[in-house]
Amino acid sequence: MTQKIAVLPGDGIGLEVTAAAVKVLERLRADFGLKIELESAPVGGTAYTAHGHPLPESTLKLAKQADAVLLGAVGGPQYDELPRELRPEKALLGLRAELKLFANLRPAILYPQLASASSLKPELVAGLDILIVRELTGDIYFGEPRGVRTLANGERQGFNTMLYAEHEIERVARVAFDAARKRSKKLCSVEKANVLETSGLWREVVVRVAKDYADVELSHMYVDNAAMQLVRAPKQFDVIVTGNIFGDILSDEAAMLTGSIGMLPSASLDAANKGMYEPIHGSAPDIAGKGVANPLATILSVAMMLRYTLNAAVLADKIEKAVATVLDQGLRTGDIYTPGTKKVGTVEMGNAVVAALVK
Ligand code: IPM
Ligand code: MG
């Protein structure tokens, strides 16, 4: 059966990194028997410019029809003045909500070849392999009411609402427990239960779900402490489960432990493991169009797609091996460059991965 992949390059470096990842998919189709069909559509600022909306109906329809979505990145300073509803970020949030992608998996893995690129001491991060499971369709990101209102004294006040229903907590907790079960059987739930009612309920539900996972060791940590522990002793963590806003922040922090946000892929999954796959870095307007962006996070996102949605774990392994090979060859984009290695651009790095794929 041929599976359909919607390719949404988006804005900024999204265009360059997706082009490199598509070459990897095409090579797998040509030489490794992967049965896929690719169809592209605009999203984000590019879509706003062409169609007047960051998530045009036709793009949403394609994403819904497809078996999996590959997304580059959205956003750029030229769109900052647009009304919130028309900003590129809205497309991303719209796709997450419309496709019901509630479970966001963000692995932070330090490739041994890049230990010296981390801002932390090599001994603190050597062998680092953390999985952050971030809830993606709830919390203060989507909670109503929200807005800016004018008080009786004429002063304006901004407000957002942190919301979590039990079923939302339970389903993401199960994804995290299942993931922990396949790894080192340790799960840390991160919230702010000492202050927030929402977090108190979060903890209660996670403890309840834990009864079905007696083999997984559950711990709880407040988010401020978790932020500190991630830079103090990151290897104490294996799988972390947390809400949308805390996960947004902690996953950027975890990314930096690995040397560069340019290395980290992500998967956003629905209840049936249909997913959207994207690098966790953004559109990086400062380097867009220069051909210097690191395509490895997007290429590794394709590996996650093969593993989680397309049931082709063998090919996922081959991609991950090919990435290790190019790092062994000493190839580095600017973000992971250290003296003594060879600096290459996006296209060269992507082509090297394609060439390193072996049967
Ligand atoms: C992310 C990004 C998005 C988020 C933005 C671009 C809306 O930071 O995927 O982490 O906040 O979720
Ligand atoms: Mg973020």
Side-chain angles (χ1 to χ4, degrees):
M1 195 189 70
T2 301
Q3 302 192 83
K4 184 162 189 170
I5 301 172
V7 180
L8 314 181
D11 307 321
I13 62 168
L15 301 161
E16 299 152 70
V17 295
T18 2
V22 163
K23 280 195 197 167
V24 171
L25 279 167
E26 284 170 342
R27 169 91 203 279
L28 294 178
R29 177 168 62 189
D31 297 335
F32 294 77
L34 180 65
K35 290 204 179 62
I36 48 163
E37 182 191 325
L38 302 170
E39 190 175 336
S40 298
V43 74
T46 313
Y48 171 75
T49 307
H51 302 279
H53 197 280
L55 182 56
E57 270 305 316
S58 50
T59 300
L60 180 59
K61 195 169 151 216
L62 172 68
K64 281 187 171 169
Q65 276 175 358
D67 296 290
V69 178
L70 178 65
L71 186 125
V74 297
Q78 67 272 48
Y79 312 113
D80 282 352
E81 300 306 316
L82 287 172
R84 203 163 279 283
E85 287 308 304
L86 293 176
R87 288 198 203 152
E89 290 76 10
K90 196 69 194 172
L92 202 51
L93 299 175
L95 282 165
R96 289 171 181 173
E98 289 281 341
L99 301 181
K100 303 185 171 58
L101 306 172
F102 66 86
N104 182 214
L105 312 188
R106 298 191 161 187
I109 295 170
L110 182 85
Y111 283 79
Q113 300 92 328
L114 301 182
S116 59
S118 173
S119 37
L120 267 69
K121 295 193 198 89
E123 63 269 25
L124 281 185
V125 289
L128 185 82
D129 182 351
I130 297 176
L131 176 66
I132 297 187
V133 180
R134 169 189 176 193
E135 200 289 330
L136 204 59
T137 51
D139 205 346
I140 198 164
Y141 269 65
F142 293 93
E144 299 280 351
R146 62 193 298 153
V148 178
R149 61 193 162 205
T150 305
L151 302 174
N153 67 1
E155 187 188 6
R156 289 186 311 151
Q157 182 185 52
F159 59 101
N160 290 88
T161 311
M162 180 176 268
L163 293 178
Y164 265 122
E166 289 178 280
H167 79 274
E168 294 176 291
I169 304 167
E170 173 161 354
R171 65 187 179 181
V172 76
R174 287 194 185 279
V175 170
F177 274 108
D178 285 335
R181 208 168 234 178
K182 292 191 198 126
R183 296 168 50 108
S184 72
K185 298 190 166 42
K186 264 175 57 185
L187 176 63
C188 180
S189 170
V190 171
E191 24 69 354
K192 189 73 184 171
N194 50 343
V195 178
L196 304 172
E197 285 78 1
T198 314
S199 284
L201 182 67
W202 176 283
R203 187 178 288 211
E204 216 184 291
V205 173
V206 171
V207 167
R208 195 167 74 207
V209 173
K211 298 208 172 80
D212 293 340
Y213 295 87
D215 53 326
V216 177
E217 182 197 319
L218 173 67
S219 60
H220 305 274
M221 200 179 277
Y222 298 139
V223 63
D224 50 347
N225 187 26
M228 180 176 78
Q229 296 299 334
L230 268 175
V231 287
R232 193 188 73 86
K235 282 191 272 179
Q236 69 185 281
F237 296 106
D238 188 52
V239 182
I240 292 176
V241 63
T242 190
N244 205 345
I245 185 85
F246 299 152
D248 177 46
I249 299 163
L250 293 181
S251 61
D252 268 26
E253 187 187 5
M256 245 4 254
L257 303 176
T258 71
S260 171
I261 198 165
M263 291 298 297
L264 297 201
S266 78
S268 305
L269 304 175
D270 74 3
N273 278 344
K274 174 177 166 176
M276 180 159 85
Y277 296 83
E278 55 178 309
I280 87 155
H281 62 69
S283 57
D286 52 323
I287 57 164
K290 297 187 178 152
V292 299
N294 186 347
L296 294 180
T298 315
I299 289 171
L300 290 167
S301 299
V302 168
M304 290 189 90
M305 177 191 288
L306 291 164
R307 199 179 298 286
Y308 290 101
T309 299
L310 303 184
N311 288 317
V314 173
L315 297 181
D317 289 343
K318 287 189 193 296
I319 293 181
E320 286 160 2
K321 259 205 197 103
V323 167
T325 304
V326 302
L327 294 176
D328 282 338
Q329 289 165 354
L331 303 187
R332 302 284 188 272
T333 42
D335 57 309
I336 49 175
Y337 174 79
T338 43
T341 59
K342 178 170 182 240
K343 201 184 270 188
V344 295
T346 313
V347 172
E348 199 177 340
M349 184 62 111
N351 289 349
V353 175
V354 171
L357 286 165
V358 286
K359 292 214 172 140

